[in-house]
Amino acid sequence: MSDKRKPEQSTSKYQPRATSSRTTYILAGAAVAVIVALVIGGIVWNSQRDTGGVDEAVLSENAALIIGAPSAPQTIDVFEDFMCPVCQEFEQQSGGSITKAIDEGTLRVRYHMLTFLDDQSSSGDYSSRAAGAAQCVGAGEDKEVFLKFHSALFADQPKEGGSTDLSNADLARIAGEQGASPATQKCVADGAKVAEAKDAADQSTTQLSKATDGQVATPTVLSGGAPVDGIMNGTGWLDDLLAEKG
């Protein structure tokens, strides 16, 4: 259970229409309302404006899992949605380097799983159920199992706008294949942490909105409460962050 924080969860109710599977999903808004505004150049813009400083305590409390030594010189917040195809690309490009830096003690990661692409799944709630499954694994297993489960869900990602997605039983099976215990698998199969994950994602989304002047996108990485540029251009972004603290 190394580096696991029990109060750390994530997921949300924001459901903008999605665009092409190779774009970054962006949401913006006013107060609590979620409004699909318009599609410009393949990017979906909504509105959820919430400016002001990022609250580090809220980011910590609402992460699905915090992984890495507390003494690590660099901490980042990673915001993803399990239905987001660009998040899958991000995991393929940077997941291995992130894990390596965690293992070397140079990086601490707070994972935030959002759910605004629920309506792009066949079941209508896949993002939320997958985020709840991640909460179960994060609460019940060590970092290695969580990271393997996280990667496995992106590897087995349902097609955006497709006719099928993964059931809770499928998610539980995948968790078991990554080493999750029977108790954790039952938590996933029962959807026991879906509501908790949604509540946490709401909080994480609010903090991300504050960091980005109201534009919430997945994938996004924050460092020191500010967005990191170039995260879809290989792993140079991570090399630069680690060099700053080296």
Side-chain angles (χ1 to χ4, degrees):
M1 314 267 182
S2 59
D3 261 330
K4 195 163 4 286
R5 296 282 194 84
K6 297 288 185 185
E8 306 161 34
Q9 336 285 319
S10 39
T11 311
S12 164
K13 335 176 160 152
Y14 300 96
Q15 300 176 340
R17 287 195 226 324
T19 62
S20 114
S21 46
R22 290 193 57 83
T23 60
T24 296
Y25 295 95
I26 297 182
L27 164 289
V32 178
V34 178
I35 305 167
V36 176
L38 47 111
V39 178
I40 304 175
I43 296 178
V44 177
W45 293 84
N46 297 347
S47 64
Q48 143 96 23
R49 205 107 182 146
D50 193 346
T51 59
V54 173
D55 189 325
E56 285 289 315
V58 175
L59 284 176
S60 178
E61 289 166 3
N62 290 281
L65 192 67
I66 299 179
I67 301 178
S71 60
Q74 182 66 262
T75 296
I76 60 174
D77 289 275
V78 176
F79 297 80
E80 299 170 313
D81 185 311
F82 280 120
M83 271 297 293
C84 164
V86 189
C87 297
Q88 180 189 59
E89 293 180 27
F90 175 72
E91 172 63 20
Q92 290 169 345
Q93 288 181 14
S94 295
S97 295
I98 289 173
T99 298
K100 181 174 182 288
I102 290 170
D103 290 341
E104 291 175 346
T106 58
L107 184 67
R108 186 169 170 82
V109 183
R110 299 187 291 210
Y111 283 98
H112 304 264
M113 305 314 303
L114 306 187
T115 61
F116 65 81
L117 291 176
D118 268 340
D119 64 353
Q120 289 300 305
S121 65
S122 174
S123 62
D125 63 357
Y126 176 74
S127 293
S128 294
R129 291 188 295 103
Q135 294 283 18
C136 288
V137 175
E141 307 299 333
D142 61 23
K143 65 172 183 162
E144 285 78 12
V145 174
F146 176 87
L147 287 171
K148 288 194 291 185
F149 182 67
H150 175 268
S151 295
L153 288 196
F154 280 119
D156 202 12
Q157 185 181 69
K159 184 177 180 181
E160 178 191 18
S163 59
T164 61
D165 57 38
L166 301 176
S167 67
N168 283 357
D170 293 327
L171 294 171
R173 171 184 52 78
I174 293 170
E177 291 170 352
Q178 312 315 312
S181 68
T184 296
Q185 292 175 56
K186 184 178 189 305
C187 177
V188 174
D190 292 347
K193 289 188 176 291
V194 172
E196 185 177 316
K198 287 181 178 181
D199 289 343
D202 285 343
Q203 296 297 324
S204 292
T205 299
T206 296
Q207 296 305 310
L208 181 55
S209 179
K210 289 179 177 181
T212 59
D213 194 29
Q215 297 175 12
V216 176
T218 57
T220 293
V221 175
L222 300 184
S223 174
V228 177
D229 293 330
I231 64 170
M232 295 306 299
N233 300 323
T235 60
W237 66 273
L238 181 57
D239 296 335
D240 290 344
L241 284 180
L242 296 178
E244 287 176 10
K245 303 287 186 174

